[in-house]
Amino acid sequence: MTWVGQRVARKEDLPLVTGTGTYVPDFNLPGTLEVAFVRSPLAHARILNIDTAEALSAEGVVAIYTGPDIRDQVHALVLDQEAAPPGLETAAPEIHPATIEILADAEVRHVGQAVAAVVADSRYHAEDAAELVRIDYDELRAALDPEQARLPGAPIVFDNVPNNVQARYRIRVGDADAALDGAEHRLAMKIRSQRVMAAPMETRGVLASTVGEETTVWSSTQIPWAVRNSIAGAIGVPQRQIRVQIPHMGGGFGQKVNVYPEEVLVTYISRVLHRPVRWVEDRVENMIASGHARDQLHNVEAAFDSEGHITAIRDRFVLDSGVACPYPLSSAYNVASHFRSMYRIANFSIDAECVLTHKMFNLPYRGAGRPEAAFVMDRVINAVAQELSLDPAEVIMRNLIADEEQPYRMGMPYRDGHEVVYDASGFPAAFERLLELIGYAEHRRTQAQLRAQGVHRGIGLGTYVEGTGVGPFESGQVHVDAQGHVVVYSGCAPHGQGLDTTMSQVVADAFGITPEEVVFRAGDTALLPYGVGTFASRSVVTAGAAIIESSNRLLKRIKAIAGEMLEMAPEDLEVGAGRVRVRGVPSRGVSFKEVYRAASPGPGARLPEGMDPGTSESFYWVPPTVTWGFGVVGAVVDVDPETGVVDVRKVVMLHDCGRVINPLIVEGQIEGGLVQGIGATLYEHVIYDESGQPRATTFLDYLLPTSAEVPEIVQEHLEGTPSERNPLGVKGVGESGPISPPAAIANAIIDALSPLKIQLNELPLSPATVVAAIERAGAEGPLHPTGVKIGFPASNQSGGFLR
Amino acid sequence: MKEVEVRLTVNGRERSARCEPRTTLADFLRGHLGLTGTHLGCEHGVCGACTVLLDGATARSCLMLAVQGQGHEVTTIEGLGTPENPHPLMRAFSEMHGLQCGFCTPGFILSAHEYLRENPRPDRQAMRKDLSGNICRCTGYVKIFAAVERAAELMAEPEAARS
């Protein structure tokens, strides 16, 4: 039996469903001290004085740390993971490293920045004492609007970043300026993806315990190796004295793909006090002091002919970095490399700037630049259709890259420096299948009739491509242990993706055992010298390749050892059911346990001449470049034009993620991603007011989709383009769900109200936003009985809008 | 702060411990009784991760004080099933892939438990509303619905066998 391709229920579930999992807050190490942070209440201020005297004498308090206290012992984090690789010279990216202070030293730069850490015998006591820390501030003018912040005279966030422009790049493919100048038609739009946050159900948290010289750090992080290296660097200890391990972890979605000040400080305190020390973020902290995302304002122009062929795109956008954009190549550059999606657009020009402001920093969040790009691109396509009075589906179809044009070269580098060349095809067929599944033709026939009955139903469409499996590398190591188990180590950092099960399916096939018989361990820097982590739709591609290559090497090794034991040529042996057997004579063979014994160092070893002892092989997989998944998404919505309320009835998604290892898990990724996309489209918004105060600091203000908001979801895996860029033929899938909902839902609302020709170019599409768009479009139209003016062309006689 | 003695029945057993009167029921269960299957997602009563059953009805343990539980019967996820003997809802959540990171799962299972007691034959439309007090950020809920439906089947089986 082959395990790859099977809907295997997950190995990791039992502790999670029975409440016996161990997340960071669940550890119960004796003597653990708990930390509460005092955080800045202001967006920008000088710290005049910090008085900890009263707090220090409060019940249960062990220590209090401020910026000046640790100035000489703990260095700020300077995050420059994303220095541009060779190959990006044409894009000329300019990137200033992101500086993240552990505790504010002299100046606070956003509401929520940590200023002091109170360490006490319980979290209750730590919070009590935190309230007694007195801090005097001199409030300063804050930079809050990124477009203003880049102009002379604006408050400067960091002195080493001139004009607050932390990163910029430019891409030129063809000649967009000339194409726009000579265009038959052109349009210009201002399109905004709002600031959102990942909001994993488990907030961040870190527990550090020091034994002798070594500190074990359990952190809810997606990148344990980077966390280890950064902690070691910041506090000045050898990397191997810090072990970072992820226990069970309640989601990440990109928010935990950063090294945070709290991880450094908690480790430092544990080493100073020789006690276990823990900080568990509360939800309010998570909303103001864990990374936000998106927040891009695009000014886009398009040139097109009268048949709707888009001949040029020229975009200039600003990303609001907050106090840092640690990954500008993901958050911002991904926009350029995914912008043109599945479309043949010969002339393309984009200029991007990541601008610092006095807000929380901006991290990649599930999709990382792709949802923002797709929202602009598919709003443009829709606007072209609107302008030419063509059906949007027709305009999409006319611009899709044809199969005979594949592998299509986009004429620009990916962020890894390699040229973007799609390794997928079947775009038109996928799109036609979407129209069929969603009932597009039927919708066009019945829409007017429904409207006459007062039902304003629309279908909106979107497309996406996704570069997946980005490097720089990932690690794998496969062992046969003394009991004959197959044990897998990897540098990935699973936190809900089901990688234990997925990777075990792969290894089970390689060794002829069941997934249950594979022992999988990951997310622990003690396992392997190198590792990266889990983010960017990369683990099945990169860790999968490293694991299958290690498995193949180990199979070769154990066959050689068994050959020595059986006095057979390795080519005549096969592996199955935990044994190495003679091909055609299954009764003759040796167990993995016996192979282990023969491979162990010592006088009993029976190894082929020249072979080192051991039953372990490693592989570090470096991808040639990313592998491209793609998909098409349609949304069916009903809109109430009076209230602006949007009911998403159905979402249909077809996607290509190469070879599917576990369909159950892939479906779960798609469903979860789509619903996050719906949240970011309709409900979620991180709002800062004009003084830099965050206005959404609880789940009462930051609305996540609940089960009541979930539409019918239909999905189909597209068969046909297994990747040729990795040994498993897989493509990443984790981030694909949230990419297209913003565009598809906006376009669906526009379709539902098509006689009004409204524009929806700013997320989220709240009822107020929809009503405002109706009002804008209908400024000249008849007055609605409720007082809302709505536009209603005289040519449309159905009267549906005035039911 | 002065501590008080809190006595309550947890998962069928009499339990008592001393705590500050301001201790939330969630922190009491987790910290004082070591029942860490009850998770804290928001501590302001929205996400439902901390859901327990109080005298059989779902309650947000983050919004209650431990002293308010005095004399009452509390059921946590640990009381519903164990790794050796998982409740049908636990089996169904795994079978149908109704969880990913698992952080919301204990609370979700307890809410689903109450829902199924009142609706042994679940209806997906009604379920969408009735389970909307628990937030899951991973699954998009679709497979949670499927898991609850599957659990209803599993829970009906012994009765069918008896009749």
Side-chain angles (χ1 to χ4, degrees):
Chain A
M1 136 144 216
T2 303
W3 290 98
V4 168
Q6 303 288 328
R7 299 173 72 87
V8 179
R10 298 196 318 175
K11 290 168 67 183
E12 43 273 80
D13 287 347
L14 194 59
L16 305 181
V17 295
T18 53
T20 54
T22 307
Y23 299 82
V24 169
D26 301 339
F27 282 79
N28 185 19
L29 302 182
T32 299
L33 298 172
E34 304 280 347
V35 177
F37 282 92
V38 183
R39 295 183 182 276
S40 170
L42 299 171
H44 189 203
R46 232 186 326 270
I47 299 171
L48 300 176
N49 184 47
I50 304 178
D51 178 359
T52 58
E54 194 185 350
L56 270 168
S57 63
E59 186 182 355
V61 172
V62 173
I64 298 179
Y65 296 89
T66 66
D69 294 340
I70 61 165
R71 190 181 292 152
D72 299 328
Q73 287 80 39
V74 187
H75 301 297
L77 293 168
V78 179
L79 303 176
D80 57 355
Q81 298 108 315
E82 291 228 323
L88 281 192
E89 293 86 356
T90 52
E94 178 191 323
I95 299 173
H96 293 281
T99 309
I100 297 174
E101 283 184 300
I102 305 302
L103 290 169
D105 190 74
E107 191 176 330
V108 287
R109 292 183 173 83
H110 68 91
V111 172
Q113 184 178 358
V115 180
V118 179
V119 188
D121 61 355
S122 78
R123 177 64 178 249
Y124 283 71
H125 289 150
E127 288 190 18
D128 288 345
E131 286 184 14
L132 301 175
V133 175
R134 285 184 217 297
I135 304 171
D136 297 326
Y137 295 101
D138 177 21
E139 188 166 6
L140 301 168
R141 202 157 60 94
L144 295 166
D145 176 345
E147 294 216 284
Q148 299 295 321
R150 50 198 276 284
L151 301 177
I156 291 293
V157 179
F158 284 102
D159 289 337
N160 66 328
V161 182
N163 300 318
N164 292 322
V165 179
Q166 185 215 342
R168 73 170 98 230
Y169 66 81
R170 63 197 293 271
I171 291 287
R172 299 288 183 270
V173 181
D175 189 342
D177 295 343
L180 275 153
D181 286 343
E184 218 177 318
H185 299 272
R186 53 194 284 181
L187 57 75
M189 297 164 84
K190 202 170 182 139
I191 299 180
R192 186 192 300 271
S193 285
Q194 85 283 31
R195 179 170 280 241
V196 298
M197 68 177 95
M201 291 318 296
E202 184 205 19
T203 55
R204 292 189 293 119
V206 55
L207 166 65
S209 175
T210 303
V211 176
E213 292 296 310
E214 184 178 292
T215 305
T216 301
V217 181
W218 289 279
S219 186
S220 192
T221 181
Q222 297 174 242
I223 46 169
W225 274 266
V227 169
R228 177 195 68 181
N229 298 351
S230 294
I231 291 173
I235 66 176
V237 300
Q239 288 182 357
R240 293 305 180 94
Q241 287 185 5
I242 305 291
R243 173 185 185 178
V244 176
Q245 197 176 1
I246 57 167
H248 285 128
M249 185 171 153
F253 314 112
Q255 196 180 58
K256 300 173 183 175
V257 79
N258 200 52
V259 184
Y260 282 90
E262 295 90 347
E263 290 167 310
V264 174
L265 190 65
V266 165
T267 306
Y268 170 74
I269 297 172
S270 169
R271 289 178 77 90
V272 170
L273 299 181
H274 303 285
R275 295 271 294 270
V277 178
R278 170 166 49 198
W279 166 71
V280 175
E281 184 180 56
D282 72 23
R283 183 55 66 182
V284 176
E285 288 181 293
N286 181 260
M287 302 194 117
I288 63 174
S290 278
H292 297 158
R294 316 264 196 258
D295 208 350
Q296 297 181 2
L297 177 62
H298 290 255
N299 281 284
V300 63
E301 296 163 275
F304 52 101
D305 66 19
S306 51
E307 270 145 21
H309 298 108
I310 297 175
T311 53
I313 291 281
R314 184 164 64 198
D315 184 47
R316 182 182 73 76
F317 79 92
V318 170
L319 178 149
D320 185 341
S321 296
V323 291
C325 178
Y327 296 91
L329 290 181
S330 304
S331 302
Y333 191 81
N334 273 355
V335 173
S337 47
H338 296 81
F339 198 109
R340 287 171 289 165
S341 187
M342 293 157 49
Y343 308 119
R344 180 198 313 105
I345 300 170
N347 302 294
F348 177 56
S349 158
I350 190 164
D351 289 272
E353 285 182 334
C354 300
V355 178
L356 298 179
T357 60
H358 290 103
K359 302 176 191 169
M360 183 54 198
F361 50 78
N362 189 325
L363 284 178
Y365 161 48
R366 201 172 193 174
R370 301 168 183 89
E372 300 95 308
F375 185 54
V376 179
M377 186 66 239
D378 279 322
R379 284 294 303 117
V380 166
I381 286 259
N382 197 268
V384 166
Q386 207 178 39
E387 191 77 17
L388 298 173
S389 298
L390 291 171
D391 192 299
E394 188 56 42
V395 177
I396 289 177
M397 192 57 102
R398 287 176 190 175
N399 284 283
L400 288 179
I401 296 164
D403 289 353
E404 50 275 21
E405 296 171 276
Q406 302 284 10
Y408 197 82
R409 306 174 66 139
M410 299 305 278
M412 61 169 285
Y414 198 68
R415 70 177 158 103
D416 59 11
H418 299 285
E419 191 190 353
V420 175
V421 182
Y422 292 163
D423 58 333
S425 69
F427 297 174
F431 187 67
E432 279 173 24
R433 177 74 181 138
L434 171 70
L435 298 181
E436 187 184 322
L437 273 178
I438 207 164
Y440 198 76
E442 171 73 9
H443 169 68
R444 281 283 164 263
R445 275 197 298 277
T446 57
Q447 188 179 29
Q449 198 188 334
L450 277 172
R451 195 172 282 149
Q453 294 161 8
V455 177
H456 303 282
R457 183 162 299 164
I459 291 184
L461 305 165
T463 70
Y464 72 88
V465 292
E466 193 198 351
T468 70
V470 73
F473 71 91
E474 195 52 277
S475 54
Q477 194 172 78
V478 183
H479 317 256
V480 164
D481 75 4
Q483 296 164 308
H485 295 126
V486 178
V487 182
V488 179
Y489 292 170
S490 177
C492 62
H495 48 282
Q497 294 83 357
L499 288 168
D500 180 344
T501 304
T502 302
M503 292 298 114
S504 293
Q505 287 176 256
V506 169
V507 173
D509 281 349
F511 287 86
I513 53 179
T514 68
E516 287 294 336
E517 292 172 289
V518 177
V519 178
F520 177 83
R521 294 190 58 197
D524 179 351
T525 61
L527 296 176
L528 291 162
Y530 304 95
V532 182
T534 290
F535 55 90
S537 304
R538 70 189 300 277
S539 288
V540 169
V541 179
T542 59
I547 289 168
I548 193 66
E549 291 298 337
S550 312
S551 297
N552 290 338
R553 287 180 174 198
L554 181 57
L555 284 167
K556 204 170 154 198
R557 170 174 271 270
I558 63 176
K559 278 183 192 168
I561 299 163
E564 186 72 19
M565 296 164 77
L566 295 165
E567 294 176 343
M568 296 284 297
E571 308 81 76
D572 296 329
L573 301 177
E574 62 179 16
V575 164
R579 293 175 68 76
V580 187
R581 304 175 300 211
V582 176
R583 224 181 273 277
V585 195
S587 59
R588 202 168 155 230
V590 288
S591 67
F592 288 177
K593 223 157 125 173
E594 289 165 318
V595 173
Y596 177 89
R597 218 175 299 138
S600 299
R606 277 194 77 182
L607 287 157
E609 185 74 29
M611 184 183 270
D612 286 338
T615 47
S616 175
E617 289 283 0
S618 316
F619 192 83
Y620 295 92
W621 196 68
V622 178
T625 180
V626 290
T627 181
W628 289 85
F630 74 95
V632 289
V633 175
V636 185
V637 307
D638 283 356
V639 184
D640 181 335
E642 288 180 43
T643 62
V645 169
V646 175
D647 175 18
V648 181
R649 297 170 56 85
K650 185 175 180 175
V651 174
V652 181
M653 176 161 166
L654 288 88
H655 70 97
D656 169 30
C657 63
R659 187 173 173 214
V660 174
I661 295 174
N662 187 327
L664 192 62
I665 287 175
V666 169
E667 284 168 18
Q669 289 294 315
I670 295 287
E671 287 158 3
L674 281 172
V675 172
Q676 283 190 11
I678 291 170
T681 307
L682 296 178
Y683 313 116
E684 299 176 32
H685 196 180
V686 174
I687 301 170
Y688 280 88
D689 72 10
E690 60 288 345
S691 63
Q693 288 294 327
R695 286 298 186 212
T697 59
T698 70
F699 283 158
L700 298 163
D701 323 298
Y702 192 83
L703 302 179
L704 299 175
T706 75
S707 60
E709 280 81 48
V710 173
E712 179 190 355
I713 292 176
V714 178
Q715 56 172 310
E716 240 176 55
H717 309 311
L718 294 163
E719 306 289 339
T721 52
S723 176
E724 289 172 6
R725 294 180 186 171
N726 61 76
L728 290 174
V730 292
K731 298 174 180 180
V733 70
E735 294 176 287
S736 54
I739 300 174
S740 284
I745 292 170
N747 290 340
I749 298 167
I750 291 164
D751 181 50
L753 307 174
S754 55
L756 299 180
K757 290 191 183 291
I758 66 166
Q759 292 285 326
L760 291 169
N761 296 331
E762 187 149 343
L763 298 171
L765 304 171
S766 66
T769 304
V770 173
V771 166
I774 293 171
E775 285 177 9
R776 264 199 313 279
E780 304 303 315
L783 193 68
H784 187 273
T786 60
V788 177
K789 266 191 166 187
I790 59 169
F792 197 67
S795 61
N796 186 316
Q797 299 300 314
S798 70
F801 281 97
L802 301 172
R803 69 193 134 134
Chain B
M1 195 178 283
K2 196 168 156 268
E3 295 196 332
V4 294
E5 171 101 3
V6 174
R7 287 175 178 280
L8 64 178
T9 306
V10 180
N11 301 331
R13 282 178 57 202
E14 290 295 321
R15 300 293 298 264
S16 71
R18 293 188 69 76
C19 67
E20 293 183 1
R22 61 178 172 169
T23 307
T24 66
L25 178 60
D27 286 340
F28 184 78
L29 293 167
R30 292 176 47 80
H32 294 74
L33 303 185
L35 296 168
T36 53
T38 300
H39 295 159
L40 289 164
C42 72
E43 294 179 280
H44 49 255
V46 179
C47 79
C50 68
T51 301
V52 298
L53 302 179
L54 185 77
D55 298 329
T58 52
R60 303 281 208 235
S61 63
C62 76
L63 292 186
M64 275 185 68
L65 297 175
V67 291
Q68 291 175 292
Q70 179 97 12
H72 291 276
E73 205 163 307
V74 175
T75 305
T76 68
I77 189 72
E78 291 92 343
L80 209 61
T82 61
E84 297 71 34
N85 187 20
H87 187 275
L89 266 161
M90 297 169 170
R91 286 191 279 141
F93 266 68
S94 177
E95 191 184 326
M96 306 310 286
H97 193 30
L99 71 153
Q100 289 177 27
C101 80
F103 197 78
C104 75
T105 309
F108 235 116
I109 285 180
L110 288 163
S111 290
H113 184 266
E114 180 182 62
Y115 172 77
L116 283 181
R117 197 180 53 213
E118 287 160 18
N119 307 275
R121 269 173 299 198
D123 167 75
R124 192 167 286 209
Q125 273 315 104
M127 201 193 309
R128 290 173 72 217
K129 298 253 180 324
D130 288 345
L131 292 178
S132 66
N134 289 71
I135 295 175
C136 171
R137 193 61 162 158
C138 295
T139 62
Y141 305 100
V142 179
K143 297 207 184 308
I144 292 180
F145 301 147
V148 175
E149 287 160 357
R150 177 67 184 137
E153 285 173 22
L154 292 173
M155 286 159 81
E157 269 169 16
E159 281 179 44
R162 273 200 299 275
S163 59

